[in-house]
């Protein structure tokens, strides 16, 4: 990876855009990055890291820390753009962090989201865009470089202070740093995974053993007495031999259960024989008792049958006469129906005659029919009279409607005349409203033109008053800064003068025995000057000079701040005074106050609001005028139409009066004595209906009398043929179907019972049993009950024994299956437990008790120590080399020890015993070695640009030469190294330099090469 160009804008201490040409700086292999403290040397390295990974190194990425420069202009966005070559591809990365920017509309600021761009250079098409996604760019860069941000900051931006602490750190601290650099989380994950697998396998084994013991408990319960005779083996889950002990105990329980099953089968066979004998004896007694009881019951039934013989004969006679009467039943029913019909017809005739006049009480059917025909003829002649009557009613309705219309038109005419009388005054008032609104609109425009300038002047006056107070504060601040600058200058000059007085003593401290003096050239120094009381060294003078420069800078900043405030005050005052005479014509002051301008703004605001409200009514006034004009036209037109309708109604009313007079003459003749033709017609229709009903009932009564006489004749003939003297005798003999069926059932039942008794009296076995002694079944029942109880007990015992044997066999098979299935699980647990103990450092096979992660880190540390030793020998002229130690120290983790071997003494000692300068080049060698190892770990990505941070000030001149030789060797194969240092001697030794300069408006960079200086 080689850096080409870095462009920094509004980032950290850089308020403007700064460009760094790494190609020019790297031409000589080594380049120096220097500048005063706080100028921004580290910010250059931060910008490189931010461009690559979107974050700055270490603690500088803490929450709440802003990357934006405080010196940057508000409209200048913070941006970092880096051009580099990695994996054979030339890329350009541009990043902008989340930052505030001025709003496009209105005042204030809004937060702009973070943005990223990635481009690649093509020799034919130039720069081509690849992505604008933060995630995609991060993944692409990390994959190309092959290192995380933490690894990059340790390998490319070599922080010497971290490695000095690494040399003196204990094993735990070294383990944390190495773990971050080499990402050994996967090995720690392996340890955790194996521990989890061991716990899971142990739980499986324990669960399997618990399941096996649970099956053993169930086997003990199923075995019953056999289980109590053979108690369970005393074993716990996880103990060896548990499965064999449980299986052996289960086999013993099954054997005992089978023996009990054989005994139960023999007992059941004996109980069955005894039960069969008792059953035979009981059945014989019961059969004899049943035969004796059957014969006695047959004798009782025979006596009862003979006693019911006379009733049987009476029922047969009654049934015979009832069946003869059935032949007369139809004639009886016909005569009863005819009699009921005659009674209904007679009652209807009497009701209809009661509604007729007395003169028609004895009229016959023909007379009533003739009278009906005459009334119907008279009713037909009333049709024309009914039509005339309906027309007369329609004329009355039309006349009523005409009267209603006349009243409505009269009211409309009066309302229209009243409204039209005030039309002129209404129109004049609406025209006046429109004119007033037009004048208010003109006044509102004039007031709006005066209101905006007045508001701007009021705002300017308020800014002027605020800036007046700020100007007074800035003047006080400037006075204080001038006093402090003068005081620090006097103090610095005083210290400088005191140092010059004792400069001889300061030069004497640099004298070396046997070396020539830089002042006189003599190698002898008999009486070197000594510093007097209150001697001032160069560091004190430099500190005083720095304090004076800071005070001068503070004074300059105070002067600029006062000038800026005064400029803003003058601008605000000019804006407030502008147009003051026109705005406040009655004021004699040339500089109006904010209160006067506020009063003017309030007055103009009220007047403008009032004029605007009045002008807003213009549209409503015009709409009201148009509506009034439309209403005036509609009312005038309505009045004319009402007058025309009144004339037409007069002629129509005269025609209706003549037509109704002619109809009234016809109606007087047709109504007769009734109130109307309709009433007279209804009267006639009622009389016709009464006559029709009376004639009908007379005819029906005569027909019913004839049918009744015919039915009497038929009934007498049927009774004679059936053998009855009179029809009433036949009626008395009739019997319903249910009664006949009951008699037949009685006859059939007696006959069936007599036949059954005769059959049973003929049975010989029952008669023979009756001759024997009475049977006693209860005497044989106790013996049978005892035999049956024994049989049930033996059968239950056998079934229980069989079920116990079956359950024991099933549970034993389950236990055997469980043991077989648990075998591979137990083997896996033993294997995983051995591996987990080995990786966790708790196994006896792990001699040094090292965890897997520590083992990997120890191997990496051994590689780092070997790579660092190659450079450390050269830096120390072959004196020192770094070695790795596996020993455990102080109870801490083993394998992460680091010692240094001193060739002068031949002894190995701890790295914490190195001096300051020795610690520097040892840590530098360690950092370079670590860079090589991490690079190989990351896939061998070539690092063509490296940066080395502070620490060179602790080296003497010879050691510095040796260190620079080692760093110069890094240029092999076109590699460049950037050194970050304050050491002045490095400025003389390294021609290619990048200087970071502090300025008032932010830091700036200057390039120094062999060709000269450029900004």
């Amino acid at each position: 990876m080689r850096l080409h160009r870095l462009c920094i804008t509004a980032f950290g201490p850089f308020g403007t855009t700064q460009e760094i040409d790494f190609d020019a700086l790297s031409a000589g292999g080594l380049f120096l990055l220097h500048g005063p403290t706080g100028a921004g040397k580290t910010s250059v390295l931060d910008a490189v890291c931010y461009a690559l990974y979107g974050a700055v190194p270490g603690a500088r990425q803490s929450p709440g820390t802003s990357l934006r420069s405080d010196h940057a202009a508000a409209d200048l966005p913070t941006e970092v753009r880096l051009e580099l070559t990695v994996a054979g591809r030339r890329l350009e990365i541009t990043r902008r962090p989340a930052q505030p920017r001025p709003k496009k509309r209105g005042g204030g600021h809004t937060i702009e989201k973070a943005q990223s761009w990635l481009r690649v250079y093509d020799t034919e098409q130039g720069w081509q865009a690849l992505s604008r996604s933060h995630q995609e760019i991060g993944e692409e860069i990390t994959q190309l470089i092959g290192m995380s941000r933490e690894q990059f900051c340790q390998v490319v931006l070599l922080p010497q202070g971290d490695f000095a602490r690494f040399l003196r750190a204990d094993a735990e601290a070294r383990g944390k740093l190495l773990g971050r650099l080499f990402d050994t989380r996967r090995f720690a994950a392996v340890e955790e995974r194996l521990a989890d697998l061991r716990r899971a396998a142990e739980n499986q084994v324990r669960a399997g053993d618990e399941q096996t013991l649970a099956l053993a408990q169930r086997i003990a319960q199923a075995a019953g007495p056999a289980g109590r005779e053979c108690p369970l083996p005393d074993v716990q889950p996880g103990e060896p031999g548990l499965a064999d002990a449980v299986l052996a105990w289960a086999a013993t329980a099954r054997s005992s259960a089978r023996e009990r099953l054989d005994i139960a089968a023999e007992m059941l066979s004996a109980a069955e024989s005894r039960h069969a004998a008792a059953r035979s004896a009981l059945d014989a007694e019961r059969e004899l008792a049943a035969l004796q009881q059957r014969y006695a019951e047959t004798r009782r039934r025979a006596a009862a049958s003979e006693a019911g013989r006379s009733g049987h004969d009476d029922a047969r006679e009654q049934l015979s006469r009832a069946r003869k009467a059935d032949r007369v039943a139809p004639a009886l029913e016909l005569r009863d129906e005819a009699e009921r019909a005659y009674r209904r017809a007679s009652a209807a005739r009497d009701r209809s005659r009661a509604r007729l006049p007395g003169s028609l009480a004895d009229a016959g059917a023909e007379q009533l029919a003739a009278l009906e025909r005459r009334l119907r003829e008279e009713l037909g002649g009333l049709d024309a009279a009914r039509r005339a009557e309906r027309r007369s009613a329609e004329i009355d309705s039309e006349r009523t409607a005409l009267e209603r219309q006349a009243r409505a038109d009269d009211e409309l005419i009066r309302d229209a005349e009243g409204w039209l009388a005030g039309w002129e005054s209404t129109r004049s008032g609406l025209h006046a409203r429109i004119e007033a609104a037009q004048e208010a609109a003109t006044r509102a425009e004039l007031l709006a033109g005066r209101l905006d300038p007045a508001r701007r002047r009021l705002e300017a006056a308020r800014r002027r008053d605020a800036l007046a107070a700020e100007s007074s504060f800035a003047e006080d601040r400037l006075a204080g800064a001038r006093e402090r600058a003068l005081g620090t200058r006097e103090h610095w000059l005083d210290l400088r003068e005191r140092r010059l007085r004792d400069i001889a003593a300061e030069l004497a401290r640099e004298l070396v025995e046997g070396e020539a003096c830089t002042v006189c050239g003599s190698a002898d120094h008999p009486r070197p000057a000594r510093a007097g009381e209150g001697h001032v060294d160069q560091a004190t003078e430099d500190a005083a000079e720095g304090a004076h420069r800071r005070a001068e800078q503070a004074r300059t900043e105070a002067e600029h701040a006062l000038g800026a405030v005064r400029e803003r005050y003058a601008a605000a005052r000019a804006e407030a005074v502008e147009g003051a005479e026109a705005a406040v014509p009655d004021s004699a002051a040339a500089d109006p106050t904010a209160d006067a301008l506020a009063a003017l703004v309030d007055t103009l605001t009220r007047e403008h609001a009032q004029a605007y409200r009045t002008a807003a009514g213009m549209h409503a006034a015009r709409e009201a005028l148009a509506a009034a004009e439309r209403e005036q036209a509609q009312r005038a037109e309505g009045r004319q139409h009402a007058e025309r309708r009144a004339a037409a109604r007069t002629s129509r009313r005269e025609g209706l009066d003549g037509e109704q007079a002619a109809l009234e003459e016809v109606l007087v003749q047709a109504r007769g004595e009734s109130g109307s033709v309709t009433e007279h017609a209804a009267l006639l229709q009622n009389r016709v209906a009464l006559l029709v009903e009376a004639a009908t009932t007379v005819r029906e009564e005569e027909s019913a009398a004839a049918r009744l006489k015919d039915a009497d004749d038929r009934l007498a003939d049927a009774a004679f043929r059936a053998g009855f003297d009179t029809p009433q005798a036949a009626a008395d003999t009739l019997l319903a179907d249910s009664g006949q069926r009951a008699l037949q059932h009685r006859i059939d039942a007696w006959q069936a019972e007599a036949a059954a008794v005769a059959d049973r009296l003929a049975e010989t076995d029952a008669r023979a049993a009756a001759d024997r002694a009475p049977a006693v079944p209860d005497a044989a029942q106790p013996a049978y009950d005892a035999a049956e109880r024994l049989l049930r007990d033996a059968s239950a015992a056998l079934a229980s024994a069989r079920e116990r044997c079956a359950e024991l066999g099933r549970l034993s098979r389950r236990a055997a299956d469980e043991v077989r299935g648990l075998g591979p699980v137990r083997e896996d647990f033993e294997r995983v437990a051995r591996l987990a103990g080995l990786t966790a450092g708790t196994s006896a096979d792990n001699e040094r008790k090292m965890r897997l992660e520590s083992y990997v880190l120890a191997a990496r540390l051994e590689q780092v120590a070997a790579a660092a030793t190659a450079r450390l020998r050269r830096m120390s002229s072959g004196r020192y080399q770094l070695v790795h130690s596996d020993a455990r120290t102080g109870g801490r983790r083993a394998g992460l020890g680091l010692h240094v071997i001193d060739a002068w003494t031949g002894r190995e000692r701890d790295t914490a015993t190195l001096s300051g300068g020795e610690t520097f080049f040892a840590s530098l060698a360690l950092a370079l070695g670590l860079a090589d190892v991490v690079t190989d770990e990351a896939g061998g990505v070539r690092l063509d640009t490296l940066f080395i941070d502070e620490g060179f000030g602790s080296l003497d001149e010879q050691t510095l030469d040796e260190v620079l030789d080692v760093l110069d060797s890094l240029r092999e194969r076109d590699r460049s190294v950037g050194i970050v240092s304050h050491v002045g001697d490095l400025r003389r030794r390294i021609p290619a330099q990048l200087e970071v300069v502090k300025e008032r408006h932010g830091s700036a960079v200057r390039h120094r090469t062999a060709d000269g200086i450029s900004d």
Side-chain angles (χ1 to χ4, degrees), residues 37 124 160 166 179 227 272 297 358 469 475 673 702 728 922 946 974:
T37 301
E124 297 180 357
Q160 292 307 114
F166 181 80
E272 286 176 346
E297 183 182 358
E475 290 175 355
E673 297 179 356
E702 292 174 352
Q728 184 63 38
L946 297 176
D974 200 22

Side-chain angles (χ1 to χ4, degrees), residues 955-993:
L955 304 180
D956 56 36
E957 184 175 358
Q958 181 180 357
T959 305
L960 181 61
D961 288 338
E962 294 174 348
V963 170
L964 290 179
D965 289 341
V966 172
L967 294 179
D968 191 58
S969 67
L970 297 177
R971 294 186 299 169
E972 298 174 359
R973 294 181 299 174
D974 200 22
R975 177 181 286 185
S976 61
V977 179
I979 299 175
V980 183
S981 178
H982 292 280
V983 178
D985 193 31
L986 291 177
R987 301 180 191 178
R988 296 189 298 272
R989 294 170 179 264
I990 303 175
Q993 300 177 14

Side-chain angles (χ1 to χ4, degrees), residues 87-250:
R89 303 170 68 189
R90 186 151 184 157
L91 303 174
E92 181 189 76
I93 309 171
T94 305
R95 293 189 187 270
R96 289 184 180 181
Q99 55 190 300
R101 64 166 176 80
K103 293 183 177 179
K104 297 181 180 179
R105 295 182 180 179
H109 292 75
T110 184
I111 300 300
E112 191 175 57
K113 294 182 178 180
Q115 303 179 59
S116 299
W117 295 270
L118 177 62
R119 299 197 302 171
V120 62
Y121 183 77
D122 186 89
T123 55
E124 297 180 357
Q125 301 180 2
W127 288 105
Q128 300 292 319
L130 285 182
S131 176
R132 293 193 61 176
S133 168
H134 298 296
Q135 183 177 359
E136 291 180 358
I137 295 175
E139 293 175 354
E140 180 72 14
I141 296 301
T142 303
Q143 183 177 2
L144 290 175
I145 298 178
M147 289 182 284
S148 64
R149 176 170 63 94
E150 291 77 8
Q151 290 176 319
F152 178 84
C153 294
Q154 292 288 345
V155 174
V156 178
L157 312 178
L158 300 177
Q160 292 307 114
D162 288 352
F163 283 96
R165 286 189 295 272
F166 181 80
L167 282 173
R168 297 185 177 94
D170 56 15
E172 291 294 332
R174 288 196 186 108
K176 292 179 180 179
L177 176 61
L178 292 174
R180 289 198 306 269
L181 292 179
F182 294 103
D183 191 13
T184 57
R185 290 176 296 179
R186 60 186 185 277
F187 300 103
V190 169
E191 295 179 21
E192 295 179 2
R193 178 59 178 167
L194 287 173
D196 293 341
L197 290 176
R198 182 190 61 77
R199 287 191 293 270
E202 184 179 6
N203 291 335
Q204 282 185 307
V205 171
R206 184 174 294 276
D209 287 347
E210 291 175 353
Q211 180 67 20
T212 302
L213 287 177
L215 287 173
Q217 292 289 346
R218 293 181 61 184
I219 291 173
Q221 294 175 0
R228 290 190 291 271
E229 295 173 0
C230 300
L232 280 170
D234 188 12
V235 291
Q236 299 297 325
E239 292 185 6
L242 181 144
D244 295 337
V246 170
L247 292 179
W249 174 84

Side-chain angles (χ1 to χ4, degrees), residues 736-754:
D737 291 343
S738 59
Q740 293 183 19
R741 286 195 297 273
L743 289 175
Q744 185 65 50
H745 288 162
R746 286 173 58 190
I747 295 169
D748 294 342
W750 187 87
Q751 292 176 351
E753 178 66 14

Side-chain angles (χ1 to χ4, degrees), residues 892-950:
R892 300 180 183 272
R893 72 165 83 182
L896 296 180
L898 192 63
H899 294 168
V900 62
I901 297 178
D902 189 346
W904 290 3
T905 62
R907 303 186 64 179
E908 179 178 326
R909 55 192 173 98
D910 193 89
T911 53
T913 61
L914 294 173
S915 65
E918 293 171 343
T919 299
F920 168 72
F921 58 72
S923 63
L924 177 59
L926 185 65
L928 294 174
L930 182 63
D932 293 340
V933 175
V934 172
T935 300
D936 294 338
E937 176 74 11
V941 176
R942 178 181 172 84
L943 301 177
D944 296 322
T945 305
L946 297 176
F947 293 91
I948 302 176
D949 206 345
E950 290 285 358

